Amino acid sequence: MFCLIHIYPEGGLQAIDDKMLLRSLTAGVNIMYNEPAITIDATPNKSSKGGKGEKGGKGGTRNKQIKYVVQTANYTINVRKFLFVAINTDDIRGGKVSGDFVDAI
C-alpha cells in the first residue's frame, strides 16, 4: 500500500522563499533584481600558489576564489560561494542566456 501525504510549511511554499531571502540578505548577499543574466560561466578551479591558508582554513585563499562569473547588461558579478539561479528553459533554448554553466544544465 502506498500513501501520499502533501506537507507544506506554515505560511505555504512562499514561506520557503521568504526565509531564504531573509537569510541571504542577513548574510550580506547582493541580489540583483531586473538584471537578466546574459552569460554564466564557471571559472577554472585554480589552486593557490603556496602561502598561508592554502588548504582553505580560516583566513585562507580558497573561499575568496571566484567560482562563477555572471554577466548582465549592466554588471559583471563575481560569485565566490554559492550561485542560485532560476532560468526559464525558453530563455536557454532561445539563446537569451549562455555560457559554460548554462551549457552544463
Side-chain angles (χ1 to χ4, degrees):
M1 177 178 230
F2 180 72
C3 180
L4 180 62
I5 300 172
H6 296 280
I7 300 172
Y8 294 95
E10 187 174 325
L13 292 177
Q14 182 64 39
I16 295 171
D17 294 339
D18 293 344
K19 195 168 196 175
M20 190 167 49
L21 177 62
L22 180 61
R23 284 184 177 176
S24 298
L25 293 173
T26 301
V29 172
N30 294 324
I31 299 173
M32 303 292 190
Y33 293 101
N34 299 317
E35 281 293 328
I38 298 168
T39 60
I40 304 172
D41 289 307
T43 59
N45 187 8
K46 298 176 184 173
S47 59
S48 60
K49 295 180 181 178
K52 278 186 165 180
E54 189 175 11
K55 294 185 179 177
K58 246 185 180 176
T61 57
R62 184 175 293 172
N63 290 337
K64 294 179 183 177
Q65 291 178 347
I66 296 169
K67 294 183 180 183
Y68 303 101
V69 177
V70 180
Q71 184 66 54
T72 74
N74 299 306
Y75 297 96
T76 299
I77 304 161
N78 296 311
V79 180
R80 289 182 175 82
K81 289 187 179 183
F82 181 78
L83 176 64
F84 181 87
V85 296
I87 303 174
N88 184 324
T89 55
D90 290 337
D91 289 345
I92 294 172
R93 289 183 193 122
K96 290 183 181 177
V97 63
S98 62
D100 58 10
F101 175 84
V102 175
D103 293 342
I105 295 177

